[in-house]
Amino acid sequence: MRAAQVSKLEGPEAIEVVDIPEPAGYPGGVVIDVHAAGVAFPDVLMTRGLYQMKPELPFVVGGEIAGVVREAPADAHVKAGDRVVALTLLGNAMAEVAVAPAQMVFKLPDNISLEAGAGILFNDLTVHFCLRNRGRLAPGETVLVHGAAGGIGTSTLRMAQALGAGKVIAVVSTEAKAEVARANGATDVVLCPPTPSATPPAGPQAEGWLAAVKEITGGRGVDIVLDPVGGDRFTDSIRSLGSAGRLLVVGFTAGEIPTVKVNRLLLKNVEVTGAAWGEWVMTHPGYLQEQWAEVEPLLAAGKITPPQPVLYPLERAAEAVASLDNRTATGKVVVTLR
């Protein structure tokens, strides 16, 4: 079978499309003919050996797929021929055939294509965990998301109102990304141009996006900030919170891991909260299935719209992963295999 493989930890550019044997099944595993595989930021880190989970070399890139079941255990909730989405764990996704644990395989609603399905699990369930579990989103609250044109950002825009948010503010760096944010459901869009140097801007330029957010919220501030970016916006994200607001730390695609002066939390009665969905799933058995039980009906009913992924053929898998690394990706990136 064809697969996108990493044999040396030199970044996305080292990904190669190779022919390798099909994976062997295992007890409790579902064998899936893969039609599409999602790309997520951990894939970038894994190509450099920087992710907390480090598969042995060589490994197949990616951790989420959509496809058709070839074989399933007799007692599984899916059967041969079912359209499914699945998590493969530690790579093993960008290949023509994959095997996933039955408890991490889910039937895909008929109204969602396999290409869009490949972009659902990682991002949408991360956002669901952030807003429901760690953010404690209440009806009518205002959510702000950084990197709003990226995979996690567009997922937040697509899901937040379905989960109860009254207003969803997108922070983006360009007008083109602003259009992506609006197309994915942002109620308001704020521009924050990229900083040209390592030194954060000072004065009015630094306050631009924050002042805009204060104006949008009538000076009250937002209830939740979902931040997959990190970097030099972090302090202003805390400033953007209203009383009892929550800043959810999801990742650091900007590269810089920010620090926080805890007196800011004390003075404003606000929280900075880690939101590591993968760690929670691995340490809370059954949580993934609970999430899908809530999210799947919303997808099936059209209350959460499916992603409109940016598609790359398998031959361009390295380019697909690199688009997250260089932050040119807009929306969810998906690699197609059939």
Side-chain angles (χ1 to χ4, degrees):
M1 69 174 184
R2 296 182 307 151
Q5 188 179 76
V6 170
S7 58
K8 48 189 176 181
L9 300 177
E10 297 179 358
E13 295 76 13
I15 296 172
E16 299 176 306
V17 177
V18 297
D19 286 310
I20 60 175
E22 290 187 1
Y26 51 77
V30 177
V31 181
I32 299 168
D33 289 322
V34 180
H35 285 243
V39 183
F41 195 71
D43 299 327
V44 175
L45 299 177
M46 288 172 68
T47 65
R48 294 194 173 98
L50 298 178
Y51 195 55
Q52 56 261 42
M53 299 177 185
K54 296 176 173 61
E56 292 185 10
L57 292 172
F59 65 87
V60 174
V61 184
E64 60 180 335
I65 59 173
V68 177
V69 174
R70 179 191 293 184
E71 299 175 19
D75 59 350
H77 59 287
V78 295
K79 63 183 185 304
D82 284 347
R83 299 167 71 252
V84 296
V85 291
L87 297 174
T88 58
L89 302 177
L90 279 183
N92 303 312
M94 291 184 201
E96 291 178 320
V97 180
V99 184
Q103 68 270 25
M104 293 190 175
V105 179
F106 305 97
K107 288 185 181 179
L108 183 65
D110 292 338
N111 60 321
I112 299 177
S113 70
L114 288 167
E115 291 80 11
I120 287 175
L121 287 182
F122 192 93
N123 286 350
D124 281 11
L125 297 190
T126 292
V127 170
H128 178 271
F129 169 70
C130 288
L131 297 179
R132 272 279 193 259
N133 185 307
R134 306 300 285 152
R136 308 184 305 280
L137 175 65
E141 288 192 319
T142 297
V143 174
L144 179 148
V145 58
H146 289 292
I152 290 291
T154 52
S155 178
T156 303
L157 299 175
R158 291 172 34 249
M159 294 188 69
Q161 291 181 77
L163 297 179
K167 187 184 292 289
V168 189
I169 303 172
V171 180
V172 294
S173 59
T174 67
E175 282 291 352
K177 291 182 177 180
E179 289 304 311
V180 172
R182 293 187 185 99
N184 280 275
T187 58
D188 299 271
V189 178
V190 173
L191 282 176
C192 180
T195 305
S197 69
T199 303
Q205 183 182 353
E207 298 170 358
W209 77 265
L210 178 59
V213 169
K214 291 290 188 180
E215 182 176 352
I216 290 169
T217 61
R220 191 185 68 83
V222 302
D223 300 291
I224 294 175
V225 172
L226 197 151
D227 183 14
V229 178
D232 57 27
R233 300 181 195 176
F234 195 76
T235 297
D236 279 346
S237 291
I238 296 174
R239 293 184 177 125
S240 75
L241 293 171
S243 179
R246 291 85 74 196
L247 194 166
L248 306 178
V249 180
V250 185
F252 313 103
T253 60
E256 178 188 345
I257 298 177
T259 58
V260 58
K261 293 183 177 179
V262 295
N263 64 306
R264 298 185 186 277
L265 312 184
L266 174 65
L267 294 174
K268 293 193 66 178
N269 283 302
V270 297
E271 305 170 30
V272 174
T273 301
W277 168 72
E279 187 278 339
W280 194 271
V281 167
M282 297 305 293
T283 56
H284 292 75
Y287 180 71
L288 186 66
Q289 292 72 31
E290 291 175 14
Q291 285 192 287
W292 189 250
E294 179 176 353
V295 171
E296 189 275 337
L298 296 174
L299 288 164
K303 294 181 180 179
I304 298 174
T305 59
Q308 299 178 354
V310 179
L311 302 178
Y312 289 79
L314 179 62
E315 291 73 18
R316 295 172 60 196
E319 184 182 344
V321 177
S323 72
L324 272 70
D325 191 27
N326 59 32
R327 299 182 67 185
T328 59
T330 55
K332 179 67 178 184
V333 176
V334 167
V335 170
T336 57
L337 291 103
R338 282 180 167 82

